[in-house]
Amino acid sequence: MELAATLLLIVCYGAAGYLAWAQRTPLYLLALISGHLGALISPLWRVLYGVSYSLDLPTVQTLLGQPVPWPVILGSGWYYTLPALVVFFLFSTRWWFPGAITGVLTYMTFLLYHLLIEAVGLRSRAWSYGEISLPLGFSAPLLAALMASLISYGVLYALLAAHRFAWPSMAVSILPSVLVVSLLVYGLLGAPLWLALMLEGQAWAILVALVTSIGLLVWAGQIITGGISRLSTS
């Protein structure tokens, strides 16, 4: 898995470098770098979603102080950004147009992509969700894919909104995009769920928190879709 992730990263940087030269824009390279920057906060998501929920402050500080694993840094370059970059390339070649319907279809495609990544990662034991138990048998990999798809969707919106900016403004908009959207999705929209899990709430409370978080994800997806639709008229 690590070798495949590294090879894919090399291919992505090669393609991004070529497109930067061909289209005279650093946007593709900036997006890949943004993915690496987004990995810097991944230890926090491990604390909130992936470990035992009876944590004391010293344990949390220890986990947050651990360095980000090198394979995570490598894979993060393309994990969220690759589907967004593919769609943006189709947009730049007039094979894709922003709109409400295309936005929904694009998000569903992103969801299939992340579900595939989840399946490959779990089968190769690159990661696991052994300590996460959700009510009604809701799949932890499905929830992870829903959140990751929304991040990719948000990155796509950032690419579409910033592609005409001057290079300095483009860098300011794109470089923090994965980090910022990840904070919003995992930290804010997922807050009802991870709070309920960390506080070891009753089953009904965790169920309410799960439904609330999913509802917030859907609401955020509608906002991004609306933004993409407005881009088509600007």
Side-chain angles (χ1 to χ4, degrees):
M1 182 71 178
E2 182 178 349
L3 177 60
T6 303
L7 292 176
L8 182 55
L9 180 65
I10 293 173
V11 171
C12 287
Y13 267 106
Y18 170 76
L19 291 172
W21 171 79
Q23 298 186 2
R24 301 295 189 271
T25 175
L27 185 142
Y28 298 93
L29 292 171
L30 292 173
L32 293 176
I33 297 172
S34 174
H36 296 306
L37 295 177
L40 297 178
I41 203 170
S42 60
L44 177 59
W45 312 141
R46 183 184 172 208
V47 170
L48 297 182
Y49 293 98
V51 297
S52 174
Y53 301 109
S54 55
L55 296 175
D56 53 23
L57 182 58
T59 302
V60 172
Q61 291 174 336
T62 299
L63 289 170
L64 291 177
Q66 293 179 352
V68 181
W70 187 245
V72 174
I73 295 178
L74 291 176
S76 63
W78 54 263
Y79 179 71
Y80 296 116
T81 58
L82 178 57
L85 286 173
V86 169
V87 173
F88 179 80
F89 172 75
L90 294 176
F91 167 77
S92 68
T93 55
R94 300 186 181 278
W95 283 92
W96 183 90
F97 298 93
I101 296 178
T102 55
V104 173
L105 293 176
T106 299
Y107 175 80
M108 297 305 298
T109 302
F110 288 1
L111 180 58
L112 291 176
Y113 161 83
H114 282 288
L115 285 172
L116 177 61
I117 297 297
E118 287 291 327
V120 172
L122 291 172
R123 179 167 297 183
S124 64
R125 298 183 179 179
W127 59 80
S128 67
Y129 300 98
E131 299 179 7
I132 299 180
S133 178
L134 298 177
L136 301 180
F138 196 89
S139 169
L142 175 58
L143 179 62
L146 287 170
M147 289 182 160
S149 301
L150 187 60
I151 294 173
S152 295
Y153 199 35
V155 172
L156 172 62
Y157 175 78
L159 297 176
L160 293 172
H163 76 282
R164 293 179 179 175
F165 290 178
W167 287 12
S169 298
M170 184 185 297
V172 171
S173 300
I174 299 300
L175 285 177
S177 61
V178 173
L179 181 62
V180 171
V181 180
S182 296
L183 283 169
L184 291 174
V185 172
Y186 291 126
L188 184 60
L189 303 182
L193 178 59
W194 61 256
L195 281 172
L197 292 172
M198 292 189 72
L199 295 175
E200 297 183 341
Q202 299 293 325
W204 66 266
I206 296 178
L207 175 59
V208 171
L210 175 63
V211 172
T212 302
S213 289
I214 293 176
L216 289 173
L217 293 174
V218 173
W219 171 70
Q222 291 177 336
I223 291 177
I224 297 174
T225 301
I228 289 176
S229 299
R230 286 190 292 272
L231 289 175
S232 65
T233 60
S234 61

